[in-house]
Amino acid sequence: QAKQAGKRGYRFFNAEEERSQRHRHGHVARLADALRQGELVLHYQPQVDLRAGRVVGAEALIRWQHPQRGLLGPADFLPQIDDAELIESVGDWVIEQALSQLDVWHLAGQRLPVSVNIAGRHLQARDFVDRLRAAQARHPAVADLLALEVLETTALEDIVRTARVIDDCRALGVSVALDDFGAGYSSLSYLKRLPIELIKIDLGFVRELPTDLDNLIIVRGVIELARAFGRQVLAEGIESPLHGRMLLQLDGDLAQGHGIARPMPAGDWLPWLAAWRPDPSWQAVAALHWS
Ligand code: C2E
Ligand code: MG
Ligand code: MG
Ligand code: MG
């Protein structure tokens, strides 16, 4: 213990670390500016029911329209702020932006749920639920269409607190999904302690369905497990119509992935919805297996 404290004491004398700290602070400052200057945008990726051949919602995914570097994905700028206060401001902006977009679509006569990703630190913040309630109050017509996605790994960090926050969210009509399920080291028994409605199977398993048969067993297992606990289950990483057929054969139905559509700017959403048709092979498989 003393040794550790001593180690920490040397922190500021470590030039390497100091440089990386300063680098990080620079990044946080630039991202805070980007947020203020409106350079962050949300793209939307559809979530569909393969069996019914219906679009059931969309996931909002953040992008940074960087003036020099172009459109950046979250992997390029979120990890550096994951444990900084800024992740809460970004998350609040994401919720507000998604609700504003929902209002626009609502006025256009289209009402489908949108889920947003919430960082662990944000979800655990003392006033998270109050701020969520306030955001809903600013968008009463669509407040019930908002849903949250929380990473399996962060949900399990403090399972008692997470369960309580999820309960509070559900009381506001906001359902919560467990994201990237299977990617972490969760104990399956934890699943029943979290009042989540939807389990999202990590795309790592789903993407390799056609090429690595072990994943078949895993995906089928997760689907069965989710059902046994009365939860819905969605497969991320449906990269082709074949992935969709395989999911249907494993008794899955909810799906998301490049084989259905890539995340798109908000402006593309309504035209995409109007034009989308499910792959004909999905209905054939669904009829064959589950009629
Ligand atoms: P996620 O929530 O698991 O989102 C799915 C990611 O997989 C997205 O990457 C999506 O573009 C990508 N994806 C979708 N379908 C396919 C597919 O068929 N194949 C492959 N290879 N990839 C696919 P993206 O947009 O780069 O986001 C990465 C992660 O960043 C998200 O993973 C989420 O954890 C995080 N993230 C995204 N937006 C936000 C946000 O607004 N706030 C927070 N805190 N995290 C976010
Ligand atoms: Mg997600
Ligand atoms: Mg995921
Ligand atoms: Mg992910």
Side-chain angles (χ1 to χ4, degrees):
Q1 187 72 40
K3 211 173 172 185
Q4 264 197 337
K7 246 189 186 166
R8 261 187 234 125
Y10 284 110
R11 219 193 162 110
F12 298 105
F13 300 102
N14 183 329
E16 185 71 24
E17 261 190 47
E18 198 188 311
R19 207 159 32 237
S20 92
Q21 281 277 335
R22 215 179 312 136
H23 188 78
R24 220 178 83 105
H25 284 141
H27 177 81
V28 170
R30 275 196 304 280
L31 190 52
D33 279 345
L35 177 61
R36 268 192 301 274
Q37 284 160 19
E39 292 171 10
L40 300 182
V41 290
L42 294 181
H43 281 193
Y44 296 85
Q45 186 178 37
Q47 302 178 327
V48 307
D49 180 331
L50 297 178
R51 193 168 310 156
R54 271 190 317 116
V55 180
V56 296
E59 176 176 11
L61 295 157
I62 199 167
R63 302 309 181 232
W64 180 358
Q65 188 62 65
H66 195 284
Q68 281 90 42
R69 295 165 66 199
L71 193 67
L72 303 180
D76 294 325
F77 60 91
L78 279 193
Q80 296 94 314
I81 64 156
D82 196 52
D83 56 0
E85 201 180 334
L86 183 59
I87 194 73
E88 298 178 35
S89 312
V90 169
D92 285 339
W93 175 84
V94 168
I95 290 172
E96 185 65 31
Q97 182 62 26
L99 284 164
S100 301
Q101 190 58 59
L102 278 165
D103 268 332
V104 171
W105 287 332
H106 167 71
L107 287 175
Q110 193 269 305
R111 289 177 58 82
L112 285 171
V114 167
S115 61
V116 299
N117 295 281
I118 299 298
R121 173 178 168 143
H122 192 199
L123 189 83
Q124 314 265 335
R126 199 163 299 281
D127 56 350
F128 174 76
V129 175
D130 292 331
R131 286 192 275 175
L132 180 62
R133 187 185 296 110
Q136 281 185 305
R138 289 189 290 273
H139 306 272
V142 294
D144 59 320
L145 295 178
L146 187 71
L148 309 181
E149 296 189 5
V150 181
L151 286 177
E152 177 198 32
T153 40
T154 56
L156 297 182
E157 264 168 27
D158 183 347
I159 191 158
V160 175
R161 177 155 178 72
T162 304
R164 203 165 48 224
V165 176
I166 294 176
D167 273 332
D168 291 346
C169 291
R170 291 181 67 186
L172 296 175
V174 175
S175 70
V176 181
L178 204 53
D179 209 349
D180 294 6
F181 186 81
Y185 301 92
S186 60
S187 155
L188 295 180
S189 70
Y190 278 175
L191 199 52
K192 67 175 183 205
R193 297 175 57 191
L194 286 177
I196 46 139
E197 278 168 31
L198 173 73
I199 291 166
K200 298 187 76 175
I201 308 175
D202 189 64
L203 57 80
F205 303 115
V206 179
R207 212 166 35 181
E208 287 168 15
L209 267 180
T211 47
D212 180 351
L213 290 185
D214 285 347
N215 290 295
L216 227 108
I217 296 163
I218 295 172
V219 171
R220 182 168 52 203
V222 174
I223 291 171
E224 269 173 24
L225 183 87
R227 296 265 160 79
F229 282 117
R231 314 300 164 83
Q232 288 195 291
V233 58
L234 179 148
E236 302 189 277
I238 297 294
E239 293 193 338
S240 72
L242 171 62
H243 285 79
R245 290 196 290 281
M246 295 186 80
L247 182 69
L248 283 162
Q249 281 170 343
L250 298 173
D251 198 19
D253 46 19
L254 301 181
Q256 189 179 339
H258 294 165
I260 297 155
R262 287 174 183 269
M264 63 187 89
D268 293 354
W269 176 244
L270 292 179
W272 181 87
L273 260 186
W276 185 71
R277 299 287 175 274
D279 193 274
S281 72
W282 295 336
Q283 243 186 332
V285 174
L288 209 61
H289 283 260
W290 311 105
S291 55

